């Protein structure tokens, strides 16, 4: 069954928000011919300039059936200028599922499609989103979120993760895995992975916690109390906690758990070590606690991830 995919753009859209999903569906179509037909749409059609100045040719929006509609994001000021026409079109509800990439979630929320649903958006726009759309259950920590037939993703490159998840939903994990390989995506980021992981890698917005993050990784199996981390950073616990959140956008406890999950997942998927050993070496203490953390973050158990990696 061929699925008609509509990628919605507007003046000032972020190019990768559109190009990333387009590339993912294109590759999936190569592996399973006849699966997808891709259409780029804009409120008035024609040549649409992205925020980078690179343009896409788009068809005008029309009332017709699409299997999937994906709305790209962009600068919030430019987004507002195109909001009315896109929101009106979205309210036609002539598709099976709808998705918003990055700040594209603002369009879905304005159309009421996210009311009382879980969603995510780019971390930098999260506070504005919460204030503007209080009925949406925003989870700005996630790379992407699915709530029924409505999907949203975090910033820019996370649109590729979302598109790969849509491909997996349509065609199964085998085609999604081959698509990711063809895109040279080393390992598709799971729905449970935090979008703040990029800031963690950088040590925060200014990089001031880079040495601390590297120290934490090297000792991930050891206790990581706020007092110990603050002492390492040469700060008081209260000032450390406040500054850490401002720099990384997540609490120290959340980052510690994320680092432990990352280390444990690599060990689960790339070794034959016993789960108790992995749990102890990554700071979870025991396998049952590690399993609960995996289910909470990844939606599946360590054993299931190991079987999938083996397949």
């Amino acid at each position: 069954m061929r699925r008609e995919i509509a990628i919605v753009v507007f003046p000032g859209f972020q190019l990768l928000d559109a190009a990333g999903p387009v590339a993912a569906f294109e590759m999936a179509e190569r592996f399973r011919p006849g699966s997808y037909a891709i259409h780029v749409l804009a409120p008035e059609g024609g040549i649409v300039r992205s925020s980078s100045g690179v343009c896409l040719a788009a068809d005008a929006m029309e009332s017709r059936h699409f299997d999937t509609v994906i709305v790209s994001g962009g600068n919030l000021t430019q987004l507002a200028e195109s909001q009315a026409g896109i929101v009106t079109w979205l309210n036609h509800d002539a598709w099976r599922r709808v998705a918003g990439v990055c700040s594209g979630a603002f369009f879905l929320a304005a159309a009421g499609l996210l009311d009382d649903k879980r969603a995510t958006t780019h971390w930098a726009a999260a506070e504005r989103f919460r204030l503007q759309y209080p009925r949406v259950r925003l989870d700005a920590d996630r790379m992407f979120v699915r709530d029924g037939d409505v999907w949203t993703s975090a910033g820019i490159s996370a649109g590729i993760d979302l598109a790969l998840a849509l491909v997996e939903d349509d065609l199964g994990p085998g085609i999604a895995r081959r698509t990711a390989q063809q895109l040279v995506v080393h390992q598709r980021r799971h729905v449970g992975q935090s979008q703040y992981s990029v800031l963690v890698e950088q040590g925060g917005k200014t990089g001031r916690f880079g040495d601390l993050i590297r120290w934490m990784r090297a000792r991930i199996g050891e206790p990581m109390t706020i007092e110990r981390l603050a002492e390492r950073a040469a700060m008081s616990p209260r000032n450390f906690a406040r500054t850490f959140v401002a720099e990384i956008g997540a609490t120290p406890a959340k980052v510690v758990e994320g680092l432990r999950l990352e280390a444990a997942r690599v060990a689960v998927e790339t070794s034959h070590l016993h789960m108790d050993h992995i749990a102890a070496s990554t700071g979870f203490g025991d396998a049952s606690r590690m399993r609960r953390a995996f289910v909470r973050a990844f939606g599946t158990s360590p054993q299931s991830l190991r079987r999938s990696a083996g397949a």
Side-chain angles (χ1 to χ4, degrees), residues 122-200:
H122 193 290
W123 61 267
E127 189 58 33
R128 177 171 174 175
F129 189 96
R130 284 193 181 96
L131 293 173
Q132 197 165 339
Y133 301 108
R135 289 191 59 182
V136 182
R137 291 183 287 148
L138 186 70
D139 187 355
D141 190 39
R142 298 303 183 196
M143 282 292 182
F144 66 90
V145 171
R146 177 185 186 178
D147 194 329
D149 58 358
V150 181
W151 303 60
T152 49
S153 81
I156 308 177
S157 65
I160 298 174
D161 299 281
L162 182 146
L164 287 168
L166 294 172
V167 169
E168 182 173 329
D169 192 52
D170 293 337
L171 307 179
I175 296 296
R177 188 178 303 114
R178 293 175 68 189
T179 299
Q181 291 169 345
Q182 191 69 20
L183 292 170
V184 200
V185 177
H186 176 65
Q187 181 176 345
R188 179 168 67 83
R189 294 175 291 189
H190 198 276
V191 62
Q193 184 168 344
S194 169
Q195 65 169 305
Y196 296 115
S197 59
V198 177
L199 287 177
V200 172

Side-chain angles (χ1 to χ4, degrees), residues 200-216:
V200 172
E201 291 292 334
Q202 297 172 348
K205 296 173 184 176
T206 66
R208 68 177 296 175
F209 290 119
D211 288 342
L212 177 64
I213 296 297
R214 287 186 286 273
W215 181 86
M216 291 163 67

Side-chain angles (χ1 to χ4, degrees), residues 12-302:
F13 74 97
Q14 166 54 239
L15 185 62
L16 191 56
D17 284 2
V22 166
F25 288 115
E26 176 199 356
M27 294 303 174
E29 167 68 16
R30 293 186 189 183
F31 295 123
R32 186 73 62 80
S35 294
Y36 296 113
I38 305 167
H39 308 269
V40 178
L41 305 180
E44 298 179 3
I47 303 300
V48 184
R49 184 180 296 273
S50 71
S51 59
S52 67
V54 176
C55 299
L56 290 183
D59 295 326
M61 289 176 169
E62 57 184 26
S63 297
R64 56 165 292 188
H65 174 75
F66 291 100
D67 176 84
T68 302
V69 169
I70 301 176
V71 184
S72 60
N75 180 279
L76 292 180
T77 301
Q78 293 166 312
L79 180 151
E81 295 172 357
S82 301
Q83 195 169 57
I86 293 176
V87 167
T88 298
W89 184 79
L90 285 172
N91 279 317
H92 290 159
D93 195 26
W95 35 79
R96 179 172 65 92
R97 63 188 176 190
V98 63
V101 178
C102 191
S103 55
F106 280 77
F107 290 107
L108 273 58
L113 300 178
L114 296 179
D115 285 354
D116 303 315
K117 291 183 179 292
R118 292 177 57 246
T120 191
T121 190
H122 193 290
W123 61 267
E127 189 58 33
R128 177 171 174 175
F129 189 96
R130 284 193 181 96
L131 293 173
Q132 197 165 339
Y133 301 108
R135 289 191 59 182
V136 182
R137 291 183 287 148
L138 186 70
D139 187 355
D141 190 39
R142 298 303 183 196
M143 282 292 182
F144 66 90
V145 171
R146 177 185 186 178
D147 194 329
D149 58 358
V150 181
W151 303 60
T152 49
S153 81
I156 308 177
S157 65
I160 298 174
D161 299 281
L162 182 146
L164 287 168
L166 294 172
V167 169
E168 182 173 329
D169 192 52
D170 293 337
L171 307 179
I175 296 296
R177 188 178 303 114
R178 293 175 68 189
T179 299
Q181 291 169 345
Q182 191 69 20
L183 292 170
V184 200
V185 177
H186 176 65
Q187 181 176 345
R188 179 168 67 83
R189 294 175 291 189
H190 198 276
V191 62
Q193 184 168 344
S194 169
Q195 65 169 305
Y196 296 115
S197 59
V198 177
L199 287 177
V200 172
E201 291 292 334
Q202 297 172 348
K205 296 173 184 176
T206 66
R208 68 177 296 175
F209 290 119
D211 288 342
L212 177 64
I213 296 297
R214 287 186 286 273
W215 181 86
M216 291 163 67
R217 287 187 191 280
R219 296 163 176 79
I220 198 61
E222 301 176 10
M224 291 286 169
T225 64
I226 191 75
E227 290 78 16
R228 188 184 186 197
L229 296 177
E231 181 181 7
R232 180 69 188 180
M235 302 171 71
S236 70
R238 183 176 180 180
N239 187 38
F240 168 73
R242 182 172 58 249
T243 306
F244 193 91
V245 171
E247 280 283 315
I248 293 179
T251 65
K254 183 177 285 292
V255 170
V256 168
E257 182 175 66
L259 293 175
R260 285 178 171 155
L261 282 166
E262 176 188 311
R265 182 170 183 172
V266 170
V268 165
E269 294 185 330
T270 63
S271 77
H272 296 288
L273 294 171
H274 194 276
M275 295 300 174
D276 284 324
H277 177 86
I278 295 173
S281 65
T282 55
F284 284 107
D286 59 66
S288 61
R289 185 174 298 144
M290 183 176 75
R291 185 184 187 282
R292 289 194 296 272
F294 268 58
V295 171
R296 184 169 60 250
F298 304 130
T300 190
S301 68

